[in-house]
Amino acid sequence: MLFLGARDFDCHNEVTQRKKYKEYEKDVSIEEIDGLQLVKKLAKSMEEMFHKKSEAVRRLVEAAEDAHLKHEFDADLQYEYFNAVLINERDEEGNFLELGKEFILVPNDHFNNLPVNISLSDVQVPTNMYNKDPAIVNGVFWSESLNKVFVDNFDRDPSLIWQYFGSAKGFFRQYPGIKWEPDENGVIAFDCRNRKWYIQAATSPKDVVILVDVSGSMKGLRLTIAKQTVSSILDTLGDDDFFNIIAYNEELHYVEPCLNGTLVQADRANKEHFREHLNKLFAKGIGMLDIALNEAFNILSDFNHTGQGSICSQAIMLITDGAVDTYDTIFAKYNWPDRKVRMFTYLIGREAAFADNLKWMACANKGFFTQISTLADVQENVMEYLHVLSRPKVIDQEHDVVWTEAYIDSTLPQAQKGLVLMTTVAMPVFSKQNETRSKGILLGVVGTDVPVKELLKAIPKYKLGIHGYAFAITNNGYILTHPELRPLYEEGKKRRKPNYSSVDLSEVEWEDRDDVLRNAMVNRKTGKFSMEVKKTVDKGKRVLVMTNDYYYTDIRGTPFSLGVALSRGHGKYFFRGNVTIEEGLHDLEHPDVSLADEWSYCNTDVHPEHHQMAQLEAIKLFLTGKEPLLQCDKELIQEVLFDAVVSAPIEAYWTSLALNKSENSDKGVEVAFLGTRTGLSRINLFVGPEQLTNRDFLTAEDKENIFNADHFPLWYRRAAEQIPGSFVYSIPFSTETANKSNVVTASTAVQLLDDRKSPVVAAVGIQMKLEFFQRKFWTASRQCPSLDGRCSISCDDEAINCYLIDNNGFILVAEDYGQTGNFFGEIEGAVMNKLLTMGSFKRFLVEFNLCSWWHSDLTAKAQRLKQTLEPCDTEYPAFVSERTIKETTGNIACDDCFKSFVIQQIPSSNLFMVVVDNECNCESILPITMEPIEIRYNESLKCERLKSQKIRRRPESCHGFHPEENARECGGVLGLSAKPTLVLLALLLAIFSR
């Protein structure tokens, strides 16, 4: 049975296009894509782009160090600078506030349309710091010279976005200048020294054991301060660091008992796990620090010998309200004379009775001592240890370039509407004054942000094919960019998913169960890997099964590796066409032509006058020579011209249909569309825009159905996987809980040859009203081949139920209209179960380990409902029909009857008609649903998952120690006087072990 109308409408589109491509056959060539050469070429392109950003940062380093070298500290310096919080603020009399002078701000589209000043930078100072402190004023004064370099960098590379200098004193100089707004409590908690780019650039990787005193004297506020101190230390640890937390009194209490005697990677998931366990700590008993110190040294030694961890710096962080001894015998046993493990001691509370001992421990072990009396003191005091760990790097004068993992920077409240995934390149800034060289003084860190979308511009999507994509990972195996990395929690809402910045490649390429691809890329190999994959589309409801070939190599000068995935068959072949510029330009002028907004045909970021230019406009100006400064992809543009010419005739066909009222008299077909492999689209409306049933279709509001930086439209991708010449029909899924769509989309692929070696050059389709489509079906179902045209049985009979379902089991037509869009197994569970048993349909379980599924528990708290989000590992069922099955009958044994059914494929489509006996009730057979299945782990498996560590590559540089390091500056407290013998011993150790 074939219902006409819809298919005929679409078939004319496909035939028209194929004929036109055939006419140009002499101007066409098909070539196989060399995946390895392609990925190498892309990696080289990205390497050049990354190098350009690094050079901008290097110029900032040189300027900052030179400016500081020329500056002499002046404790009485009076200097009015632009404070980012106070600029443009006036008092009650209309006068500008101190540090709040007039600062011109103009909205700039390059910076998410935020009001900025591209001539000057301004300075943010954390709320808990005095913005006229002499150290800050002097730093702001000498760093003012960076303004010229900021502007010069932006002139050289207009694609740059935020540039900045984060000072070791706490202030943050940012270009372009922008106004900062405090939160509702009047606070700006941002401290640049707490950011990953700062910590990563300032220090080397480290292994850390945190010891927390939970003896009885730590009750109350002291324990609260101790927990906050631990949390602040965790904030300073990154993906290249390893840690564990041990609480102690008379006994040792691992905060996570499962991780007894080892260290874990300081990724976000592990840190959050430990933070949750901190709340379980309570104070009682007597503190036995000697047991804790022995345990800490043994862990660090044993873990170091395993070859895991940082294999660089090691430290013990001691958080306590006092120590009755100096424990020099323990340090002599494990740490002297080399002092490879640094000791950082934090005295909790106002009392200083045991401060001498704690300071001695820090000074004798190249660490730092500090006292934390209130919660407000925590962050500033925790930061001190970073400056100590940075000393060897400063003395070495090694300006290591570091790159962060991908993250969303929502520091600026105004920027929430433009959350962008980015990476940061950063370098440390050192004091070059000879008299302070051995002290290893870190001045701060400079950096610039690189939006991940800029990386995607270097990737020619048209060469990767319909299902192809590029991706990149870090040295830890975490994703920098991948089409399946979705950092925002809900569509249309700016809420970030927890752990989005540490999603491992194995969690999206989950079919690679042995991590062959992941480990090769982590180890910076160049090569190829192949596997069968199941890619979910259409909001996770459907699955495409295909074989991918992966090609990968490293991006030199960065910690990143690049991969390219090409699908077997048509995805491995590239199509080239040739027409004249005059022909192409003529057909590009048609109003129904558009190009993929996120594809880079021409680089409009280089010159400011091009920033607002649409890609289609840029191509026309480039080809006519009116904008010689435009940099364009000539190969891609040639293919766009070819596609414009060969697709032009379809417009005439669409026009004739619009004029012929009988063809679409009831306006059931609302829109026709075409897309080509170059991102060119043609759209024709058969009704007014205000009459469209689905107004979001083919617009930016429906990103899955337009060309994007990382994927082709859904209707194009699905059509490409159908048998050549066949059509794919579907009802779009609503983002709401229930499917409310009232349209049907139909599309088909255009291939030059009917085999898998022919690239899919285009796809055409229509969208029609669901009611129109269903009426066509019911009309066709009542037509029988008998002489009198009557049917012995029809869908009008009450004894049967008729359904039209697609190849994924979703209902397009049912006698009960409310069942439209539902999964067939939920309505006819017994029949679907039989179809699965017979092999007519296959059931797949698609795994998601990247927090794609969340519990939404509503818990009453303080008489309010609060939504809590909790990540979990999940399997999603997906169903696909077996292509070889044309017609199948079956009988199902129910409680007291047999239920019969017939399923028949609709020729040249992805649809099946199913007729089911309605008189036999099979309620005992449960429905088959598409509900996700949460994977539950017992405590043993949870522990194994925590302990498991995937292969990672350590950063290439390590600056753990330096023989010239001056370790005598090791902290202190007001009024503290150490015992002479202890001071003497500490000094002797410092001198003779240098």
Side-chain angles (χ1 to χ4, degrees), residues 688-702:
E690 70 286 347
Q691 296 177 289
L692 287 171
T693 305
N694 182 1
R695 296 183 185 181
D696 289 343
F697 185 59
L698 302 176
T699 71
E701 299 300 318
D702 184 8

Side-chain angles (χ1 to χ4, degrees), residues 1-3 774-786 788-797 802 813-815 913:
M1 182 193 74
L2 173 67
F3 51 97
Q774 292 180 335
R775 181 157 31 90
K776 290 283 187 181
F777 170 79
W778 292 124
T779 300
S781 71
R782 296 185 179 99
Q783 297 174 358
C784 294
S786 61
D788 60 2
R790 295 182 179 179
C791 303
S792 58
I793 185 172
S794 78
C795 292
D796 294 328
D797 294 346
C802 293
V813 182
E815 294 170 47
M913 183 173 179

Side-chain angles (χ1 to χ4, degrees), residues 784-940:
C784 294
S786 61
L787 292 176
D788 60 2
R790 295 182 179 179
C791 303
S792 58
I793 185 172
S794 78
C795 292
D796 294 328
D797 294 346
E798 293 184 2
I800 62 173
N801 284 334
C802 293
Y803 303 92
L804 188 68
I805 66 174
D806 66 20
N807 61 313
N808 298 118
F810 292 102
I811 299 172
L812 281 82
V813 182
E815 294 170 47
D816 180 353
Y817 184 83
Q819 296 172 347
T820 303
N822 288 342
F823 178 60
F824 182 67
E826 295 173 353
I827 309 300
E828 297 281 359
V831 178
M832 192 67 206
N833 186 64
K834 188 69 174 180
L835 291 173
L836 289 169
T837 304
M838 296 166 62
S840 299
F841 273 78
K842 292 180 181 179
R843 182 175 187 263
F844 297 96
L845 285 177
V846 185
E847 293 184 9
F848 285 92
N849 304 322
L850 64 160
C851 309
S852 294
W853 179 256
W854 302 88
H855 294 298
S856 296
D857 298 326
L858 293 176
T859 56
K861 185 176 182 181
Q863 298 182 342
R864 292 176 58 193
L865 286 177
K866 180 182 179 182
Q867 187 180 50
T868 59
L869 305 179
E870 177 184 322
C872 61
D873 287 1
T874 311
E875 289 181 333
Y876 286 81
F879 301 84
V880 180
S881 64
E882 174 56 56
R883 282 186 175 181
T884 58
I885 305 256
K886 303 301 179 186
E887 182 174 342
T888 301
T889 61
N891 288 293
I892 306 161
C894 300
D895 292 336
D896 54 1
C897 59
F898 283 89
K899 192 180 190 74
S900 61
F901 68 89
V902 178
I903 180 171
Q904 184 178 32
Q905 185 178 31
I906 307 299
S908 300
S909 79
N910 69 321
L911 301 178
F912 297 85
M913 183 173 179
V914 187
V915 180
V916 180
D917 172 16
N918 191 33
E919 295 184 333
C920 178
N921 194 326
C922 271
E923 288 184 350
S924 59
I925 300 178
L926 296 175
I928 295 176
T929 73
M930 296 196 67
E931 288 297 314
I933 304 164
E934 181 182 345
I935 304 172
R936 297 280 183 178
Y937 297 101
N938 59 34
E939 290 304 315
S940 175

Side-chain angles (χ1 to χ4, degrees), residues 282-400:
F282 58 93
K284 69 172 184 177
I286 302 170
M288 303 291 286
L289 180 54
D290 55 337
I291 300 174
L293 287 172
N294 276 291
E295 183 75 359
F297 276 113
N298 282 322
I299 290 174
L300 291 171
S301 176
D302 294 345
F303 194 70
N304 192 52
H305 286 135
T306 65
Q308 298 177 323
S310 69
I311 316 295
C312 191
S313 299
Q314 290 193 318
I316 296 173
M317 309 286 200
L318 174 60
I319 302 165
T320 179
D321 62 350
V324 297
D325 192 4
T326 58
Y327 303 100
D328 48 298
T329 55
I330 295 177
F331 296 122
K333 176 182 178 181
Y334 292 104
N335 208 37
W336 296 344
D338 295 333
R339 297 188 291 169
K340 289 293 180 71
V341 178
R342 296 180 188 268
M343 191 79 190
F344 297 95
T345 56
Y346 300 89
L347 176 62
I348 304 299
R350 298 183 184 278
E351 296 179 13
F354 300 105
D356 292 358
N357 291 340
L358 290 174
K359 182 173 182 180
W360 182 90
M361 285 186 240
C363 295
N365 293 280
K366 285 191 173 182
F368 199 87
F369 164 81
T370 187
Q371 184 167 6
I372 303 176
S373 302
T374 67
L375 285 169
D377 297 336
V378 172
Q379 184 165 312
E380 192 65 25
N381 283 288
V382 165
M383 291 295 165
E384 293 290 350
Y385 95 88
L386 295 174
H387 303 145
V388 174
L389 291 184
S390 69
R391 286 175 188 162
K393 181 181 283 194
V394 178
I395 297 171
D396 281 335
Q397 294 288 297
E398 289 289 343
H399 294 90
D400 299 326

